[in-house]
Amino acid sequence: MALFSPQFTGKNIAARTVGRDRQSLAIVLSITIILFGGIGSRLAYLQLIEGAQLRQLADSNRIRLIPKQPERGNIFDRNGKILASSRLSHAVYIWPQAPKKATWQTTRTRLAKILNIPETEIQQRLDKAGDNSPTLVRIARDLNPAQITALAEYRNELRDVEVYIEAVRNYPNQEIAAHVLGYTGEMNDEELAKKRSEGYRLGDVIGKMGVEAAFEQQLRGEWGGQQVEVDGAGRILRLLGEKPAKPGRDVHLTIDLNVQKAAEAALGQRQGAIVALDPNNGEVLAMVSRPAFDPNIFSKRVTPEIWQQLQSKQHPFVNRALQSFPPASTFKVITTTAGIESGKFAPNATLPTYGCMNIGGTTFCDWNRAGFGRLGFVGALAWSSNTFYYQIAQRVGEATLIDWTRRYGFGEKTGIELAPEESAGLVADNSWKQKNLNLPWSVGDTVNMSIGQGFLQVTPLQLAVMFAVPANGGDRVQPHLLKDNEVSKWRESLNLKPETVRVLRQGLRQVISGGTGQVLNVPTLPPVAGKSGTAQTFRKQAHAWFGAYAPADKPEIVVVAFAEHSGGGGGKVAAPMVLKVLEAYFKK
């Protein structure tokens, strides 16, 4: 028996409606299959084809890197005294997605006021990094206490701003050895483009000049940091991983801080340079250039006003110890060498000297316009007779004189680690003159060259290398700043005759004992040997030079002093500077 009976509505079911419900169901089912098929296809595409990229985008929104800058390696002098180190300071970072938030305008305005940085500069830094950057973007370094306090007070307006402690470069001696050490600073766009392949990135601090740039790879270290998970508001939820920053390696220099300070004091505020080196192995003991700068300035943002002030100092970033100038009579060391080594003059040869000489239709005079009577090489060095060396140059000829000039290392870089900042100087010859002046070489050019004038250009460092040759007995040394205690690899023999070395050493000693450098003939020093030079310049005061080494019989140190456009002569202006440096060295 049926439990339920069919109910009749009183209407007849038309034959044409039979099966319509089944047809509707099939249509709905087909539409559903198509829709879910499309969704499934899209999900499969997103998962299989674009899954990796989408996961990366999701992680970039969820995972952040808090960078940890490495501590840069220290720089020490030869005795272990600190020349450059690091100190802790506060830096400001911003989350890269901050500009997307409605509060960004308020944040940017407040931050710009506290840091005294234009809003446009803050925006440019963030735009450069991009809002998908996985790391925080540094906006400012080395904050002062007032800025740190202000950032804390306005914390509610600066929710996307972070303050971290990091190391910045510190130079405890300020301007002392500034041109040797150089300075550090954040990479600009051009530098970043060149060094990105080496692992550098936006915000990296690199050496910009000097030792900081030359030994960048040793000093830089490796970045570390923390990988954190953040929520939609940028709040840190948990630490995912941490990589300690790897500090850079220390660098030990040949510089002697005591000698460096003495050289800085000796040069004072004169525009010029002083170089001191060990003539036996080329170690640079001191290198001074004026005007100078304080490299600590670059540990924070350099404003246009500060930069303008620095530039008003007559090119303070130019290392004049590595720039070239006419060497004047100091060059007579090389003319003496060429004269004896050519075989055209015996070591004990003598020549008459004159007030003036007519050479090739031009009058060339001695510096005293009277001459010194008959002189040999020793006396000619002691009294710096020009007319003596005019005669040497005429008989030796341009080719031999130029050849020995280049053997001494003039006309090429010395090989010191500061190569990008070093001038090669100039040793002109006939081809150079034809190319640059469209004129042939003349005997007057050779005569001018014999006393260190004319086209000849030499750096103070090259001149120190020249004085090291007679000091060490005939070897050309390669000056260097990295302490390694090796000697043989920094010396190369010029194969001078023993008689040539003997004459040079006797002549340079007599300069001090009875010639133009008697200011160095003092009881506070061991016997000194050296040579003065006064370089004539166009329309300006002369340059003053003096180079010396001591003790004369067993030299330990060479010192070259250069005063740019000082006037007054090498024996009066530059020699007293050398005296102060030597006294400081031997006082130890």
Side-chain angles (χ1 to χ4, degrees):
M1 182 177 68
L3 295 176
F4 297 99
S5 299
Q7 296 181 357
F8 293 96
T9 62
K11 295 180 180 180
N12 295 324
I13 300 175
R16 61 182 179 179
T17 65
V18 175
R20 181 174 292 177
D21 290 341
R22 293 177 182 177
Q23 187 179 6
S24 299
L25 181 61
I27 292 171
V28 172
L29 184 60
S30 298
I31 292 172
T32 302
I33 291 171
I34 291 171
L35 288 174
F36 276 98
I39 294 171
S41 298
R42 181 60 178 167
L43 288 174
Y45 173 78
L46 294 174
Q47 182 70 21
L48 300 176
I49 306 300
E50 293 191 346
Q53 182 180 357
L54 293 172
R55 279 193 297 274
Q56 184 178 357
L57 289 173
D59 285 344
S60 68
N61 292 326
R62 184 176 59 88
I63 298 173
R64 289 285 182 267
L65 294 177
I66 300 175
K68 174 71 173 177
Q69 183 180 335
E71 185 174 339
R72 202 166 173 84
N74 298 311
I75 302 176
F76 297 93
D77 87 333
R78 66 188 301 110
N79 299 310
K81 296 179 180 178
I82 283 284
L83 299 176
S85 61
S86 298
R87 60 179 173 81
L88 296 179
S89 72
H90 292 77
V92 172
Y93 288 80
I94 295 181
W95 292 104
Q97 288 190 325
K100 288 185 174 182
K101 299 185 178 181
T103 57
W104 169 239
Q105 183 60 55
T106 301
T107 300
R108 189 178 68 183
T109 301
R110 177 64 65 189
L111 191 61
K113 185 175 181 180
I114 292 174
L115 300 179
N116 192 27
I117 295 176
E119 290 188 48
T120 54
E121 186 175 323
I122 295 175
Q123 189 66 53
Q124 285 170 0
R125 282 180 173 265
L126 288 165
D127 291 345
K128 192 182 299 181
D131 56 22
N132 286 323
S133 172
T135 64
L136 290 164
V137 180
R138 182 168 56 208
I139 300 300
R141 299 191 300 150
D142 200 21
L143 305 184
N144 60 46
Q147 290 171 327
I148 297 169
T149 301
L151 288 169
E153 289 177 353
Y154 290 98
R155 182 61 185 164
N156 290 335
E157 295 181 22
L158 304 172
R159 294 188 180 277
D160 293 300
V161 176
E162 303 287 348
V163 178
Y164 293 107
I165 295 176
E166 64 181 26
V168 298
R169 210 58 167 155
N170 181 52
Y171 303 89
N173 300 296
Q174 299 177 320
E175 289 191 358
I176 301 296
H179 292 88
V180 174
L181 299 173
Y183 64 93
T184 63
E186 284 194 26
M187 302 178 74
N188 56 38
D189 292 344
E190 183 179 348
E191 291 165 335
L192 180 59
K194 290 180 180 179
K195 289 185 171 288
R196 195 183 292 275
S197 62
E198 300 175 33
Y200 287 87
R201 57 188 177 181
L202 184 68
D204 262 349
V205 173
I206 63 169
K208 296 279 190 173
M209 67 174 282
V211 167
E212 293 281 21
F215 299 109
E216 168 68 16
Q217 292 304 311
Q218 294 98 309
L219 292 166
R220 64 175 292 207
E222 295 180 11
W223 279 78
Q226 293 178 329
Q227 189 179 51
V228 297
E229 183 180 358
V230 298
D231 61 16
R235 293 185 292 266
I236 297 175
L237 299 177
R238 62 187 176 119
L239 177 65
L240 300 177
E242 184 171 5
K243 177 187 175 183
K246 183 179 179 180
R249 301 196 303 273
D250 295 339
V251 170
H252 294 260
L253 302 183
T254 60
I255 294 293
D256 185 317
L257 184 56
N258 291 334
V259 178
Q260 179 75 28
K261 287 181 176 179
E264 302 262 0
L267 186 57
Q269 295 307 310
R270 287 189 183 274
Q271 193 165 298
I274 293 179
V275 175
L277 58 78
D278 185 332
N280 301 297
N281 57 17
E283 291 182 347
V284 177
L285 304 176
M287 182 184 289
V288 182
S289 178
R290 284 285 188 276
F293 62 95
D294 183 353
N296 288 299
I297 291 172
F298 297 95
S299 292
K300 58 179 65 180
R301 178 176 175 267
V302 178
T303 64
E305 293 76 20
I306 292 175
W307 184 253
Q308 187 64 34
Q309 184 181 357
L310 287 169
Q311 291 299 328
S312 67
K313 289 184 171 183
Q314 291 293 319
H315 310 293
F317 301 105
V318 173
N319 188 345
R320 284 168 169 79
L322 304 179
Q323 301 305 302
S324 56
F325 309 89
S329 290
T330 59
F331 183 78
K332 290 170 182 175
V333 167
I334 295 178
T335 309
T336 297
T337 302
I340 299 174
E341 290 292 321
S342 69
K344 295 185 177 181
F345 293 91
N348 59 353
T350 61
L351 295 171
T353 61
Y354 308 94
C356 293
M357 297 176 67
N358 187 292
I359 302 172
T362 302
T363 300
F364 294 87
C365 294
D366 223 315
W367 62 268
N368 67 352
R369 293 186 173 270
F372 299 90
R374 198 167 190 89
L375 292 175
F377 282 106
V378 172
L381 281 170
W383 291 108
S384 197
S385 170
N386 291 341
T387 56
F388 178 91
Y389 285 102
Y390 297 157
Q391 297 172 75
I392 299 295
Q394 287 183 84
R395 194 183 305 179
V396 166
E398 65 178 273
T400 300
L401 184 58
I402 289 172
D403 176 54
W404 275 104
T405 304
R406 289 175 174 157
R407 288 197 205 185
Y408 267 83
F410 292 177
E412 63 182 70
K413 294 187 177 184
T414 63
I416 196 169
E417 295 91 337
L418 310 182
E421 302 157 40
E422 183 181 17
S423 167
L426 174 63
V427 179
D429 54 18
N430 182 61
S431 62
W432 179 90
K433 191 178 179 186
Q434 290 278 12
K435 178 180 178 180
N436 289 275
L437 301 177
N438 199 27
L439 291 171
W441 190 267
S442 69
V443 65
D445 295 323
T446 306
V447 164
N448 259 334
M449 186 177 180
S450 73
I451 62 167
Q453 295 281 174
F455 306 115
L456 188 64
Q457 297 281 308
V458 174
T459 72
L461 182 60
Q462 288 174 329
L463 209 60
V465 171
M466 182 199 77
F467 278 104
V469 172
N472 65 35
D475 288 352
R476 174 178 156 185
V477 297
Q478 180 181 325
H480 57 282
L481 289 163
L482 187 64
K483 191 86 172 70
D484 68 353
N485 296 317
E486 292 188 27
V487 176
S488 59
K489 78 175 188 177
W490 304 113
R491 291 179 65 151
E492 178 185 359
S493 176
L494 295 183
N495 297 313
L496 298 179
K497 300 173 183 175
E499 295 85 355
T500 303
V501 175
R502 177 180 56 79
V503 168
L504 288 173
R505 298 186 78 163
Q506 287 179 353
L508 295 174
R509 173 62 189 139
Q510 196 162 316
V511 169
I512 307 301
S513 62
T516 59
Q518 294 183 57
V519 68
L520 288 159
N521 195 27
V522 294
T524 55
L525 294 176
V528 180
K531 182 75 186 76
S532 62
T534 306
Q536 302 303 315
T537 61
F538 185 66
R539 291 184 180 176
K540 290 186 177 182
Q541 288 186 303
H543 303 312
W545 291 93
F546 206 96
Y549 58 82
D553 57 340
K554 194 175 181 180
E556 300 175 14
I557 183 173
V558 167
V559 180
V560 169
F562 168 71
E564 186 176 355
H565 297 303
S566 63
K572 292 182 179 179
V573 176
M577 299 182 195
V578 175
L579 173 64
K580 291 179 180 179
V581 177
L582 290 176
E583 284 181 333
Y585 176 83
F586 286 106
K587 188 180 291 184
K588 70 179 182 180

